[in-house]
Amino acid sequence: MSVDWTVHCSLAVTAYIHTYIIHTYIHAYIHTYIIHTYIHTYMHTYIHNTYIHTHIHAYIHTYIHTYIHTYIHT
């Protein structure tokens, strides 16, 4: 009877530890995935917006430069 109780107790502790580790691992994985996705999206948006802003700025600069150049020569 004592052996059965010891085995039962060991299995319970082992199950608890395994559940804790698996739960922690899954939680950490999901947490990391969400944070990684958020950072990736944020950086992507930032780079995209910066690129578009630079592109538009260059376009406007070129347009103004061409306009002034045309105006001087005309």
Side-chain angles (χ1 to χ4, degrees):
M1 190 69 184
S2 180
V3 176
D4 292 341
W5 185 83
T6 307
V7 172
H8 183 73
C9 187
S10 298
L11 288 175
V13 171
T14 305
Y16 177 77
I17 293 172
H18 280 193
T19 305
Y20 180 77
I21 292 172
I22 291 171
H23 179 76
T24 306
Y25 174 77
I26 291 174
H27 183 75
Y29 179 78
I30 293 172
H31 198 68
T32 306
Y33 179 77
I34 291 171
I35 291 175
H36 179 76
T37 305
Y38 175 77
I39 292 174
H40 182 77
T41 305
Y42 180 78
M43 289 176 62
H44 191 74
T45 305
Y46 178 78
I47 293 170
H48 192 65
N49 288 347
T50 306
Y51 174 76
I52 290 174
H53 181 75
T54 307
H55 189 71
I56 292 173
H57 190 75
Y59 179 77
I60 293 172
H61 183 76
T62 306
Y63 177 77
I64 293 173
H65 183 75
T66 307
Y67 180 79
I68 293 172
H69 194 72
T70 306
Y71 181 78
I72 291 174
H73 280 277
T74 301

